Amino acid sequence: MVTQKKIGNLITYVVVLLCFAYPISAITSVFLSLSSTPVNIAYRAFCLMLSVIVIVYALSMGKVTLKRSTLPLLVFLLVYLLRIVYDTLIRGVFHENTLTEIYAYYLGSILIPILAIFFAFKYTDQKKLVILSLYTLLVSNILLSVFYLKENGWAITPEILLERAVITSEDNDKLVVNPISYSLYGGYLFLLSCAIIFIKSPILPKMIRMLSIIGLFIGLFNLILGTSRGPLIFSILGLLLIFALALKRTKINFRNYFRIVAVSLMLIASVAYAASKVQFEVGAFVRLTSFAENIKSGEKEERNFLYQEAWDMFMESPVFGAKFILNSTGSYPHNIIFEILMSMGILGLLIYLVIVLNLSLCFINLFKNKVHASRISILLVLSIGISLTTGNIYQSVDNWNLIAVLLAASAKPFE
């Protein structure tokens, strides 16, 4: 018999698997000495199967309602789908990836799961969602750390902070987890752990808070090892948001303020000490420094030229956009704003801005109502931030699904 609890559990698994379990899938292929492609296909096919089951079960429960705040996201995704269909099936534009990969990612890991989230998230136990997310991110990050250290002969030295951490296949000829993903999942664990530790309401079990302390250090370790600027910058911004929210919910007294300030100073001192031990040559900070110097000198990186081409394509068709990929490379500008302008024009950008406005209102609503999902929603600072520096629309699985969770979890719909 289908129950609301069963539907809620299934959609929880869908969210956690799609958003936080990719490193487990990738490293499983390395452990079994298999190609990562079939393992990744099996992992995403399982998530798609769960999503379809959730949709069928939700429809069987009776009338399905959607909050108005969710509609702009659905419109945006459908408009982008029309752009993909028009460009690939009618215009036949060149693309670096196969059509199977494009549609499998976009439909199977984004559009259909988001429909499942919108239909069934109201049945979710949000406390369970936070706990399962923490467990999954812990496993993902422990595997990342162990396999990276294994590939480097278990040498824990200052020199590893100068390189960009990656996980490769058994024969070292294929990148399974790139540096950005390595830092990204470290950042997710770091921010979720901090949100659990510092935002104490609503209450979670003491064991979960203890695990979060462990997760904080493991996540920070991987965040720094990946030496990626984007994840580092937006993780810091997410941490500042967590401190601000913690202060907002904290009773004004000397003891509580002293505790938060003391922890902040300890974290800053720890990072400064680690940096001093490697003569301030930690890879992530070196990359940030060089990035700042390039801005001052006016020197352009490769990505700047991609932005310029995307802008030129937008100017060719400013209302509806020109094409969903760049003319020169068959790839993407690695910035969601430029990609939206290039592929969907002003129309797409306006819809996206409405989505961001809805996200802001829903976050305020979640925080005011002290909902468990407010902790998960903080991860959007990192996932949306990353969309401004890398990736593309149809492969940003965790970003779009996290957006859907925040929109669906809001206690009240905003008219």
Side-chain angles (χ1 to χ4, degrees):
M1 179 180 177
V2 179
T3 63
Q4 293 182 359
K5 182 178 180 180
K6 183 176 182 179
I7 298 174
N9 287 337
L10 287 175
I11 196 61
T12 298
Y13 299 146
V14 169
V15 171
V16 171
L17 288 173
L18 281 175
C19 295
F20 308 127
Y22 171 72
I24 300 175
S25 166
I27 294 175
T28 297
S29 67
V30 177
F31 180 75
L32 297 176
S33 300
L34 298 173
S35 170
S36 61
T37 301
V39 176
N40 190 39
I41 290 174
Y43 151 65
R44 298 197 179 279
F46 180 70
C47 294
L48 174 59
M49 180 187 70
L50 288 183
S51 300
V52 173
I53 292 173
V54 167
I55 291 173
V56 173
Y57 282 172
L59 291 173
S60 71
M61 296 294 289
K63 185 179 179 181
V64 174
T65 58
L66 293 174
K67 298 175 182 178
R68 291 190 180 184
S69 58
T70 65
L71 297 180
L73 177 58
L74 288 177
V75 171
F76 179 90
L77 296 175
L78 290 173
V79 170
Y80 187 72
L81 178 61
L82 291 176
R83 165 56 71 185
I84 294 176
V85 170
Y86 178 67
D87 285 350
T88 59
L89 302 183
I90 297 177
R91 297 172 67 187
V93 299
F94 164 77
H95 191 276
E96 64 175 4
N97 295 322
T98 65
L99 294 184
T100 301
E101 181 178 353
I102 295 171
Y103 286 103
Y105 258 102
Y106 192 67
L107 295 177
S109 295
I110 295 178
L111 192 54
I112 294 175
I114 285 177
L115 283 175
I117 292 170
F118 286 164
F119 286 178
F121 196 82
K122 59 186 176 183
Y123 304 127
T124 300
D125 180 343
Q126 294 186 16
K127 180 178 177 180
K128 183 175 182 179
L129 172 64
V130 174
I131 293 173
L132 281 178
S133 297
L134 178 64
Y135 287 160
T136 305
L137 282 170
L138 273 170
V139 173
S140 293
N141 277 268
I142 290 171
L143 288 174
L144 287 173
S145 298
V146 168
F147 272 76
Y148 173 71
L149 293 173
K150 176 178 175 290
E151 288 185 356
N152 286 272
W154 301 102
I156 304 177
T157 62
E159 284 70 26
I160 65 173
L161 297 176
L162 304 178
E163 303 173 354
R164 306 195 71 184
V166 298
I167 304 293
T168 57
S169 58
E170 191 68 24
D171 50 6
N172 292 322
D173 66 345
K174 185 176 181 182
L175 205 61
V176 177
V177 179
N178 62 36
I180 296 174
S181 294
Y182 198 101
S183 288
L184 175 64
Y185 288 98
Y188 278 154
L189 178 59
F190 175 70
L191 288 180
L192 182 59
S193 298
C194 288
I196 292 172
I197 294 168
F198 297 115
I199 302 176
K200 297 184 178 180
S201 178
I203 298 172
L204 284 168
K206 186 176 181 180
M207 184 190 73
I208 298 303
R209 302 178 69 82
M210 294 298 294
L211 286 174
S212 297
I213 296 174
I214 298 172
L216 185 154
F217 290 103
I218 296 175
L220 182 61
F221 178 71
N222 285 339
L223 175 62
I224 293 175
L225 275 186
T227 65
S228 292
R229 294 174 302 205
L232 181 62
I233 292 171
F234 293 106
S235 292
I236 293 172
L237 292 177
L239 181 61
L240 294 176
L241 175 62
I242 289 169
F243 283 159
L245 295 176
L247 287 171
K248 185 74 175 175
R249 284 188 181 173
T250 301
K251 292 181 180 180
I252 302 176
N253 61 57
F254 176 78
R255 181 181 177 185
N256 288 328
Y257 274 98
F258 176 78
R259 184 180 300 167
I260 292 175
V261 171
V263 172
S264 303
L265 291 176
M266 285 176 63
L267 284 173
I268 293 171
S270 298
V271 173
Y273 177 77
S276 67
K277 287 299 180 182
V278 290
Q279 300 178 342
F280 293 97
E281 291 184 347
V282 176
F285 297 105
V286 170
R287 286 171 56 78
L288 283 176
T289 303
S290 64
F291 179 62
E293 290 175 351
N294 288 343
I295 292 176
K296 288 181 182 179
S297 65
E299 183 180 347
K300 291 186 177 182
E301 296 183 351
E302 180 183 355
R303 216 164 279 184
N304 298 116
F305 296 103
L306 300 181
Y307 295 164
Q308 184 61 53
E309 182 180 355
W311 178 259
D312 293 339
M313 291 175 63
F314 159 67
M315 295 303 294
E316 295 173 10
S317 180
V319 179
F320 300 108
K323 195 187 297 182
F324 85 114
I325 50 173
L326 294 168
N327 290 322
S328 61
T329 62
S331 186
Y332 305 89
H334 296 287
N335 177 290
I336 193 170
I337 302 300
F338 282 108
E339 187 177 351
I340 290 171
L341 289 172
M342 172 185 81
S343 59
M344 293 187 283
I346 290 293
L347 174 64
L349 183 62
L350 289 176
I351 301 172
Y352 185 74
L353 292 177
V354 173
I355 294 171
V356 173
L357 175 62
N358 279 335
L359 286 174
S360 302
L361 295 174
C362 288
F363 179 78
I364 293 170
N365 193 33
L366 285 177
F367 181 74
K368 284 183 176 180
N369 287 277
K370 298 184 178 180
V371 180
H372 283 289
S374 62
R375 293 186 175 101
I376 296 288
S377 62
I378 290 170
L379 303 186
L380 277 170
V381 175
L382 179 52
S383 69
I384 291 179
I386 288 298
S387 72
L388 298 172
T389 61
T390 190
N392 58 68
I393 292 176
Y394 86 83
Q395 287 183 324
S396 298
V397 175
D398 50 332
N399 181 44
W400 293 117
N401 282 281
L402 284 173
I403 287 175
V405 166
L406 177 52
L407 294 174
S410 179
K412 298 186 231 179
F414 287 87
E415 300 295 335

